[in-house]
Amino acid sequence: MTEHSSPSERQRRDSFGMFDGYDSCSEDTSSSSSSEESEEEAAPLPSSLPIIKNNGQVYTYPDGKSGMATCEMCGMVGVRDAFYSKTKRFCSVSCSRSYSSNSKKASILARLQGKPPTKKAKVLQKQPLVAKLAAYAQYQATLQNQAKTKSAVSTEGFNWGNYINSNSFIAAPVTCFKHAPMGTCWGDISENVRVEVPNTDCSLPTKVFWIAGIVKLAGYNALLRYEGFENDSGLDFWYSICGSDIHPVGWCAASGKPLVPPRTIQHKYTNWKAFLVKRLTGAKTLPPDFSQKVSESMQYPFKPCMRVEVVDKRHLCRTRVAVVESVIGGRLRLVYEESEDRTDDFWCHMHSPLIHHIGWSRSIGHRFKRSDITKKQDGHFDTPPHLFAKVKEVDQSGEWFKEGMKLEAIDPLNLSTICVATIRKVLADGFLMIGIDGSEAADGSDWFCYHATSPSIFPVGFCEINMIELTPPRGYTKLPFKWFDYLRETGSIAAPVKLFNKDVPNHGFRVGMKLEAVDLMEPRLICVATVTRIIHRLLRIHFDGWEEEYDQWVDCESPDLYPVGWCQLTGYQLQPPASQSSRESQSGSSKQKKKTKSQQYKGHKKMTTLQLKEELIDGEDYSFLQGASDQESNGSANFYIKQEP
């Protein structure tokens, strides 16, 4: 290619957002293309994602046929045709400008006068070829070692990309998870969006980039294909859209990073400029502030040493004071305040309905375990009330829930079942104490608290209408269970249908979608999971590799559900699917692995009830009695329309 482009032509070329040639590694790599780019910037198009526009030439890339050249400024060795200027003396515009700058002249003059070279002058002292080759060989060895390390990790660990590709799975989109990072500002990121990512198919001794398009999305992860590979998926790779090394098109130009085509297709086109102009003009890319939004969405208001009230995991009828020990991706590791060795902990999300501000129990009349600690420890402080999830306001001035009313509820001790339940106590602010019929302790020590608007309670008949198996009271012999007969036998009435939450958001979940879900029987664990049923806003979550009896009913807006790739993004450990071979090798103890996690809640409920009776000591906890003042808001969806999965 001849270099007779006029200033206006070069300005058009730079306006595409790419440098002409490999960028130097010196400190003087700042380019004026950004200023030229701003002068040529067109009015934004009406789209949530930026549109790539270009009217000029784009970057010439090495074709491997024209010999090699060495940059006289930084010493970079590369294909001659890729170098800048007619004389091919420099690898980039910035090197050419640095060479002719006053600072460089001053450095050369200082060296001629025998003065120590400045930092900028050191780059002019070219290394011998042997030293360059040795450094390059060491670099390649490092890359190979890194590749071996990465492959070893991926073999032992779980890889979402391989799992989805090998089974043609579909992941729930990030927009389904409003509480997750970028959940409310994901925008129109979809297939065919172009990004700039590291080029791993390259033999250059520096980190270089190339443009790739999104082939498939799976939560935060995207299957990418380098531009130029067309329908060839041989080098497709998975990458986190929120990763630090993925950028909008034009980032390399603004940051002075080299943009080089993959080695496999380097000879495929003789004019890479024309190719990229054709492929990228009019395509979408990430917003320029995308990485900033990712960073902002991962800032969490809860901090270590904050005090909260949280459900007592051993006695669900009461709360205790706990202290935030750590925060990971919005999830809190809470240590109960009386735990001397700090091992008595509980995991939940900061928006969980199980945590509240200090004084919450007293304000609504909920049972609370009195702490042996008379004063706060040094450094601990009460969490501001406004940081907690807000519940819907309710109005109980008219018809309202009453003690003894029957309903259907998800059993918090066995989340795979919806059971016959009874309202045992009406608290303030719309909160209710509920017991599971047939398995209650006489002293109410196994009651649990749900808000009146909770998506975990349902009116009588909900399961029958939606073809869900309803768990009858333990010991009830008149099967199949009929609500009409049961209400007559117990002399009870059903809670009015109009008092239940009937809002059904357009959540976006579909049957078969993959996600990462908390095992609420052991909430420190997050597992690979699948949506297997959808009933209005209720999701049936199956943990891949485990039996259906460990499934859990979860609300579509639960903060315990996360997009594929959330664990990788936040640094949390993901539990992979249980393999069939590992279950078979455990023979009779195959279920014990899961039950070990949930022993406290699942499969031992009767023992847990007895334990509650024995361990609950008089004076250890107390109830705050208050009148109720509640409000209610009616939803808009038809609660009783049958909905198939």
Side-chain angles (χ1 to χ4, degrees):
M1 185 196 81
T2 59
E3 192 72 35
H4 295 289
S5 53
S6 65
S8 60
E9 289 174 342
R10 184 167 303 165
Q11 191 172 22
R12 287 199 306 269
R13 176 182 60 210
D14 292 344
S15 71
F16 187 83
M18 301 181 191
F19 282 145
D20 190 357
Y22 299 96
D23 191 30
S24 73
C25 301
S26 69
E27 292 189 351
D28 244 0
T29 56
S30 60
S31 170
S32 63
S33 67
S34 58
S35 61
E36 294 170 350
E37 188 175 349
S38 63
E39 293 172 3
E40 292 285 316
E41 187 175 356
L45 296 179
S47 172
S48 59
L49 288 181
I51 301 293
I52 303 170
K53 297 188 68 179
N54 178 63
N55 298 317
Q57 294 276 334
V58 190
Y59 202 81
T60 294
Y61 300 94
D63 57 11
K65 298 179 181 178
S66 305
M68 306 297 288
T70 302
C71 179
E72 295 185 15
M73 178 63 196
C74 68
M76 171 74 75
V77 179
V79 178
R80 180 179 177 82
D81 273 357
F83 272 46
Y84 177 73
S85 81
K86 290 184 288 185
T87 57
K88 307 299 181 185
R89 296 171 58 196
F90 307 105
C91 66
S92 66
V93 178
S94 59
C95 274
S96 174
R97 289 170 179 165
S98 297
Y99 188 87
S100 59
S101 66
N102 292 331
S103 61
K104 185 216 173 258
K105 292 177 181 177
S107 298
I108 294 177
L109 180 61
R111 187 177 60 176
L112 292 175
Q113 293 174 349
K115 297 179 181 178
T118 62
K119 191 173 184 180
K120 290 183 179 179
K122 289 180 181 179
V123 77
L124 300 175
Q125 300 173 351
K126 297 187 173 54
Q127 300 176 359
L129 180 60
V130 175
K132 288 183 180 179
L133 292 176
Y136 182 65
Q138 183 179 1
Y139 172 79
Q140 291 287 9
T142 302
L143 286 182
Q144 291 178 1
N145 291 335
Q146 291 176 349
K148 290 179 181 178
T149 303
K150 290 180 180 178
S151 62
V153 172
S154 61
T155 301
E156 297 176 359
F158 174 75
N159 186 292
W160 263 118
N162 294 339
Y163 191 57
I164 289 177
N165 277 348
S166 59
N167 299 280
S168 299
F169 290 140
I170 297 176
V174 174
T175 52
C176 291
F177 310 88
K178 305 302 182 186
H179 59 281
M182 302 298 293
T184 58
C185 53
W186 190 249
D188 291 339
I189 298 176
S190 59
E191 296 177 5
N192 297 319
V193 169
R194 306 302 207 281
V195 293
E196 292 179 353
V197 291
N199 177 5
T200 57
D201 182 27
C202 183
S203 58
L204 291 176
T206 58
K207 187 176 185 179
V208 296
F209 292 78
W210 186 240
I211 297 170
I214 298 178
V215 177
K216 183 177 182 178
L217 272 177
Y220 292 116
N221 299 335
L223 182 63
L224 300 177
R225 182 175 301 167
Y226 288 125
E227 283 296 336
F229 276 85
E230 306 299 341
N231 296 322
D232 181 3
S233 60
L235 283 185
D236 287 3
F237 58 99
W238 286 91
Y239 220 88
S240 174
I241 290 291
C242 298
S244 59
D245 258 349
I246 192 165
H247 309 281
V249 172
W251 176 85
C252 284
S255 306
K257 302 296 182 181
L259 200 59
V260 179
R263 178 175 50 185
T264 303
I265 59 171
Q266 199 172 85
H267 307 286
K268 190 173 181 181
Y269 297 95
T270 57
N271 190 342
W272 282 100
K273 291 183 179 182
F275 169 78
L276 283 184
V277 170
K278 181 178 180 180
R279 291 287 296 173
L280 299 183
T281 300
K284 291 184 178 181
T285 188
L286 298 177
D289 61 344
F290 184 77
S291 60
Q292 179 182 347
K293 288 183 177 179
V294 172
S295 178
E296 291 173 352
S297 68
M298 296 182 68
Q299 302 298 316
Y300 308 104
F302 279 79
K303 306 297 179 185
C305 297
M306 284 184 170
R307 299 172 75 241
V308 301
E309 288 185 9
V310 63
V311 66
D312 187 339
K313 65 181 181 181
R314 293 182 179 85
H315 309 285
L316 300 186
C317 65
R318 69 188 185 189
T319 58
R320 297 173 61 184
V321 173
V323 179
V324 177
E325 178 74 12
S326 59
V327 183
I328 303 179
R331 302 200 76 231
L332 312 178
R333 178 178 179 258
L334 303 171
V335 176
Y336 290 113
E337 197 169 48
E338 294 175 304
S339 176
E340 295 181 358
D341 58 0
R342 309 194 68 77
T343 59
D344 190 8
D345 61 358
F346 183 79
W347 281 91
C348 68
H349 193 270
M350 63 183 184
H351 294 153
S352 170
L354 300 178
I355 61 171
H356 310 276
H357 62 85
I358 298 296
W360 173 84
S361 298
R362 178 183 296 274
S363 68
I364 70 161
H366 193 282
R367 185 176 290 182
F368 176 78
K369 182 181 184 299
R370 184 184 294 111
S371 175
D372 293 336
I373 300 177
T374 57
K375 64 178 182 178
K376 289 184 286 188
Q377 298 182 18
D378 291 342
H380 294 178
F381 58 99
D382 295 350
T383 306
H386 71 271
L387 296 185
F388 296 88
K390 302 295 187 298
V391 295
K392 293 181 179 179
E393 293 185 351
V394 292
D395 180 11
Q396 70 172 79
S397 58
E399 188 175 13
W400 191 241
F401 292 101
K402 293 181 174 59
E403 292 183 14
M405 284 183 172
K406 299 294 183 181
L407 70 163
E408 299 175 2
I410 297 176
D411 185 354
L413 298 177
N414 186 352
L415 293 165
S416 66
T417 62
I418 299 179
C419 305
V420 174
T422 304
I423 297 174
R424 293 304 182 187
K425 189 176 181 181
V426 178
L427 307 179
D429 296 339
F431 289 95
L432 310 169
M433 296 302 295
I434 296 174
I436 301 298
D437 285 22
S439 59
E440 295 179 71
D443 59 358
S445 56
D446 58 355
W447 296 349
F448 49 92
C449 183
Y450 278 145
H451 193 262
T453 61
S454 170
S456 298
I457 59 174
F458 317 96
V460 164
F462 174 84
C463 285
E464 180 181 0
I465 290 175
N466 291 285
M467 291 179 288
I468 301 174
E469 182 180 358
L470 176 67
T471 301
R474 183 173 299 175
Y476 190 75
T477 56
K478 294 184 63 175
L479 302 177
F481 178 85
K482 298 293 184 184
W483 263 116
F484 180 81
D485 295 338
Y486 185 69
L487 291 174
R488 183 178 57 187
E489 293 168 5
T490 57
S492 306
I493 61 172
V497 174
K498 67 180 181 180
L499 299 182
F500 292 85
N501 179 12
K502 295 176 284 293
D503 292 339
V504 181
N506 184 19
H507 48 69
F509 286 102
R510 299 291 181 269
V511 170
M513 283 182 170
K514 297 292 179 182
L515 69 163
E516 298 175 2
V518 175
D519 179 358
L520 294 170
M521 295 292 93
E522 183 55 58
R524 65 184 176 84
L525 301 180
I526 297 182
C527 311
V528 174
T530 307
V531 178
T532 56
R533 285 197 72 181
I534 301 176
I535 307 297
H536 306 301
R537 63 181 300 146
L538 195 62
L539 309 179
R540 180 81 169 179
I541 301 298
H542 172 73
F543 297 105
D544 290 19
W546 294 101
E547 293 84 355
E548 291 184 1
E549 64 180 287
Y550 300 110
D551 290 1
Q552 297 178 1
W553 288 109
V554 181
D555 182 62
C556 64
E557 294 182 344
S558 168
D560 296 307
L561 303 178
Y562 304 99
V564 165
W566 181 89
C567 284
Q568 177 187 356
L569 177 64
T570 60
Y572 205 95
Q573 183 178 356
L574 177 66
Q575 304 297 315
S579 63
Q580 184 175 358
S581 58
S582 64
R583 292 200 306 271
E584 291 175 350
S585 65
Q586 295 174 10
S587 61
S589 63
S590 64
K591 297 179 182 179
Q592 189 62 34
K593 179 179 179 182
K594 186 82 173 182
K595 286 186 178 180
T596 299
K597 299 186 302 177
S598 56
Q599 195 170 24
Q600 180 174 330
Y601 305 100
K602 187 182 177 74
H604 299 273
K605 180 164 30 174
K606 194 168 186 177
M607 184 181 72
T608 304
T609 303
L610 294 175
Q611 181 183 5
L612 290 173
K613 293 179 181 178
E614 294 169 359
E615 293 184 358
L616 204 58
I617 303 173
D618 291 339
E620 186 183 34
D621 64 331
Y622 57 93
S623 297
F624 299 103
L625 302 178
Q626 281 214 352
S629 62
D630 310 316
Q631 301 114 3
E632 195 239 357
S633 64
N634 291 325
S636 57
N638 188 341
F639 203 67
Y640 282 105
I641 296 178
K642 291 187 179 180
Q643 181 171 335
E644 290 295 326

